[in-house]
Structure formats: structure tokens, C-alpha cells
Amino acid sequence: MTGGSVRATDAPGHRGLDEATARRRYVAVSFLFWLPIGMSIATGVLLFTERGMGLAAIAGFYAAHSLTAAAMELPTGGLSDVIGRRPVLAVAGLLNLTAFTLIGLGAAGWAIALGMGLMGLARALSSGPAEAWYVDTVHAHAGRGADLRTGLARGSAATSAALALGTLLGGGLPWLLGLAPGAGEWLAATTGGLVIPLSVPALLGALVEVVFVLSVLSALPEPPRPRTTVRRVVGGVPAAIAAGLRLGARDALIRRILLTASAAGAALAAVELLTPGRAAALMGTAESGALVFAGLACAGFLCSALGSQLAPLVARFAGSSERAVLASLGLVGLGLTLLGLTAHTMSTLATAAAVTGYGLVYLGLGAAGPNERDLLHRRVDTSGRATALSVQSLSLQLVAAGAGLAAGTLPTGPLPWLLAAAAVLAGALLWVRRAAPVKPLPDSAPRTETAAPEPERAHPSKPRPADLLTPLATDGPGSRTQ
């Protein structure tokens, strides 16, 4: 925090965790959180279809996920900044456990919608705390000039690897059960129709969530926080929310990051909703389609992992993180265009072009993410880091919900894909010009390590809106070697 107040990351116990250890734990937690989500990706749309749901209803389920995540992004981001990263992440794991159980067993629309809503709430809770914990820990150990891109890139790569492995497991399990004579019928008969082969991945994902919660509680130490009360928590969160809402208005660079997240939401909504149906149509059955989509999604997430690993290199070649984001979004737009142009045919050449486009979408998103977040973390202080990440996720979720609903109602064919491509290319154009350095707030005092704490800052659990952004001398674009 500013104003010379004691920062949570300055606690002596927190300094004991070195950068390499923090990076390993951050990578492990990221992998465990996204593995069960990957297991549900390959079968999600096909499972709902098998339960008798139409494409419009399925789009509504995904909208319930996105809108819940969007509605809760800022409150939960502020909650993490007030009470700590670890408890918020543990609650996210418990919510996902419940969500996967409902999705795996639910045959009624309300149960599926509730499960998707709980998953959206868990997404909101998890969108910032793990990364904020990592950045806080590195800053506490090595100072604010420490390299963040490497750890952020590895965390993104671990997320993509978890999604890749999860989609392979999720798509392969129903296919393997289909090979065993009578296995699917036995599952349905034994459970009264609640469990079918396509629902097994979601139920296994619920078990993985138990491991995730235990890992968070044991592997992410935090410094002791001042004792707080419900009144302080309730009073501190709205302040963090208000500060988060002013992020884009105050800083042009952060505004670009938020708009870019919106464009990514449009791209992901189109890919996640429309690709499973194309795979099933290509193969002729839901189970075979799930297997093909699992392989395709796995390849996409591996492309995303590769893009994340290459993000620092792309920034060096491009000259800055901003130019790297521009080039990466150009790849995403090209991939979506290829998917749109091949939507009406299943020829070998068109299929190859579509697979290439799918890979380019994830390669570009993977390369853009760490560079965007590197820029973001240079603009925010620890007191509002999770809130800032939540604002970014909020932008993605809101647009993803609307884009998913639109894609579900538009006629099948090139149009949904090309609209998503146009949104991404519009986001890329935002990065043609470099953003000006952030201007300090009028009431912000320069940070000094010896400054006396202000009386109103006696409780770090109540951050002021002005504390969310703390301009540093090295925060300007190009001020550090990219």
C-alpha cells in the first residue's frame, strides 16, 4: 500500500519463500485448478445434448457461468485483497467440487444451470488470488524490480498443460467406456440414469478438486494479516470494487488490457460453443465427436502452453510487451478467420485449414496473456492486485456471455466465426500506438520506506480506492528491458 503503511508482503515470514519455490507452487496450484475444468471441456456440450438440451439452452448454461463470474468478479477480487488469497482459493475449490457433481449427475436443466453458476462463482473467486499470491511473494523476496514474466508464463503454460491433459482424459474416458460391451448401459441402469459415460469426467473432476483444496491450504503460506471483523470485510470490499471500476478510466494502458480481454472472450465463446458440434458432425456420433474434440482441444491447449512459454521471447523480438500483444492478437484473428471460411465444408483441405486456425487461436492467446499481465502488474499495487485481475476477468466474462448467446442464435456457418475474428482484430488495433506512462493520482503521496503510517491506514484490511494504482518510476512502457 502507499503512504508508508506496512504492507502485507513485508512480513518477515513471507520473505522466507524464495522465487523458485513460489514459482513451483504457483505452477502446481494452477495445474490442479484447471485440470478438472479441462476434463469437463471435451464432454460438456455433448453431455448436455445427450441430456436432451438444445443448442440455445446450452448457450444459456454457459451464459449462466459467464454472467455469474462477471457479477462476482469485483466483489470476490476485493475479498481476496481484504482477507487473503488462500481462503478465497480454497472456497473456489469447494464450489467447483459441488459444481462438477451437479453437472455430472444433473439430468434436469435447473441442476445443470446451478452447477454452471457455481462454477462461474468459483471462476470469479480464483481469477486473481493465486497470481496475486505469486507476485506478492516474489516482490517481498526480490523487490518490485524482480522478473515476473517467466513465472507468469510458466503459470500460463501449466494452465494450458492441465487443460490439454484434462481434455484428453475427459474425451477418452467416455470413448473407452463405449468400447466395453454394456458398460454405458450398466452405469445408467445402476444409477437410475444419473451417470452415463459422458458424465464420468465431471465426476472425476470433483475428486481432483479435493486435492486442489488440500494443496492450497498446505502450499500457499501467507503472512499474518490483521484480525478483521465482518464489518471491516464488508467495508473494505466495496472500496476495492470502486477502485477497480476506475482502473480503465484512469489508465489508458489498463483500458487497452480490459478491451483486449473482451475480445478474447468473444473468441473463446465462439470456439468453445461451436467446435464440439463440428467435431460430432464430422465423426457422426457424440462419443466419437467427444474424442476428436478432446484431441483437438488438447492440441489447442498445447499451442497455448507453447505461446505462453514463448511470450518473453516474443516481447524481446517485438521490442516491447505492447508490440507482442499486437502480434499475438493478429494470430488469433487469422485463426478465427480460417475457422469461419471452412465452416461450410468438411473436405480434407478445409479440415486441415480449420485445425490450423484452431491452433493459431490458442497460440496467439497464449502468447498475449503473460505480456498483458506483465504490463498490468506494473500498474497496480499489492493492495489491489487481485481486484485488478478480477476486472480483467470481468471484461472477458461479460463479452463471452453475450458472444455465446449470439453464437447460439445465429445461423450455423461462417458468420459467428467471422464476427469473433472482427472483435479480436479490433482489439489488436488498440496496440498499434504505445500508451503514455501512467499519471499519479492527485492525492497520492510519493512512497517512502520511512514515512510514518497515516492514522486512517491503521487497518490494512480497509484499502482506499486511491491505493489501487501506485505509479513507480519503472512503470512506464519501455522503461524496462522487454
Side-chain angles (χ1 to χ4, degrees):
M1 296 183 193
T2 57
S5 62
V6 178
R7 290 175 291 169
T9 52
D10 285 341
H14 203 51
R15 290 181 183 274
L17 204 60
D18 60 83
E19 295 176 67
T21 302
R23 185 165 55 241
R24 285 195 300 270
R25 296 186 181 186
Y26 168 57
V27 166
V29 167
S30 299
F31 182 89
L32 285 173
F33 180 80
W34 288 100
L35 178 63
I37 295 176
M39 294 173 68
S40 68
I41 285 176
T43 56
V45 173
L46 301 174
L47 171 62
F48 302 152
T49 302
E50 197 74 8
R51 298 290 197 191
M53 309 298 167
L55 188 60
I58 294 171
F61 296 150
Y62 282 95
H65 171 279
S66 296
L67 291 174
T68 302
M72 298 305 297
E73 279 291 358
L74 292 180
T76 54
L79 184 65
S80 170
D81 287 329
V82 172
I83 69 173
R85 322 302 190 193
R86 182 167 57 180
V88 172
L89 277 174
V91 172
L94 293 174
L95 287 173
N96 264 343
L97 189 158
T98 306
F100 286 124
T101 303
L102 284 170
I103 291 170
L105 299 177
W110 67 266
I112 297 173
L114 177 60
M116 294 295 285
L118 290 176
M119 192 181 297
L121 178 55
R123 171 70 181 271
L125 284 164
S126 67
S127 64
E131 186 172 318
W133 175 87
Y134 168 71
V135 175
D136 289 345
T137 303
V138 171
H139 281 172
H141 184 268
R144 291 188 65 95
D147 172 61
L148 295 176
R149 261 198 308 246
T150 300
L152 294 176
R154 291 186 183 179
S156 295
T159 295
S160 299
L163 290 169
L165 177 60
T167 51
L168 277 182
L169 292 173
L173 285 173
W175 179 75
L176 289 174
L177 288 172
L179 293 179
E185 292 78 2
W186 178 83
L187 275 176
T190 304
T191 60
L194 292 179
V195 179
I196 60 176
L198 287 171
S199 64
V200 170
L203 298 177
L204 288 180
L207 297 179
V208 176
E209 290 295 342
V210 176
V211 180
F212 168 77
V213 172
L214 294 177
S215 298
V216 166
L217 294 177
S218 62
L220 302 187
E222 290 190 279
R225 290 179 179 265
R227 290 189 177 183
T228 188
T229 64
V230 174
R231 181 179 179 183
R232 286 178 182 172
V233 170
V234 173
V237 170
I241 294 174
L245 291 174
R246 286 196 291 270
L247 278 173
R250 179 177 177 268
D251 190 325
L253 180 59
I254 291 181
R255 187 160 57 247
R256 292 184 186 184
I257 293 172
L258 300 183
L259 291 172
T260 301
S262 300
L268 290 171
V271 169
E272 292 174 0
L273 183 65
L274 300 175
T275 307
R278 288 179 69 166
L282 181 66
M283 298 305 297
T285 65
E287 286 78 12
S288 297
L291 180 63
V292 169
F293 177 63
L296 183 61
C298 177
F301 292 133
L302 289 176
C303 287
S304 181
L306 176 62
S308 296
Q309 289 286 69
L310 293 176
L313 183 63
V314 173
R316 286 195 292 270
F317 273 110
S320 68
S321 291
E322 294 180 354
R323 294 294 183 184
V325 174
L326 171 62
S328 301
L329 291 180
L331 279 182
V332 178
L334 175 60
L336 289 169
T337 302
L338 286 175
L339 284 164
L341 295 177
T342 58
H344 272 323
T345 177
M346 295 184 185
S347 67
T348 303
L349 180 60
T351 301
V355 170
T356 301
Y358 190 92
L360 289 177
V361 168
Y362 281 93
L363 182 67
L365 290 175
N371 285 302
E372 290 176 31
R373 297 200 304 278
D374 176 67
L375 292 167
L376 180 65
H377 287 305
R378 295 180 184 283
R379 291 301 224 238
V380 297
D381 197 349
T382 183
S383 62
R385 180 161 288 120
T387 301
L389 292 168
S390 290
V391 176
Q392 184 185 20
S393 183
L394 170 65
S395 301
L396 185 148
Q397 294 293 340
L398 279 176
V399 175
L405 289 173
T409 55
L410 288 173
T412 57
L415 184 59
W417 299 103
L418 297 179
L419 288 177
V424 169
L425 292 176
L429 292 177
L430 297 172
W431 297 91
V432 172
R433 296 182 60 186
R434 302 185 69 177
V438 65
K439 296 180 180 180
L441 288 169
D443 59 347
S444 293
R447 179 194 296 274
T448 57
E449 295 298 326
T450 58
E454 300 172 11
E456 68 178 14
R457 306 301 303 278
H459 301 290
S461 61
K462 298 177 67 177
R464 291 187 308 174
D467 294 331
L468 186 60
L469 296 177
T470 303
L472 300 176
T474 58
D475 276 355
S479 59
R480 175 182 166 182
T481 303
Q482 301 291 336

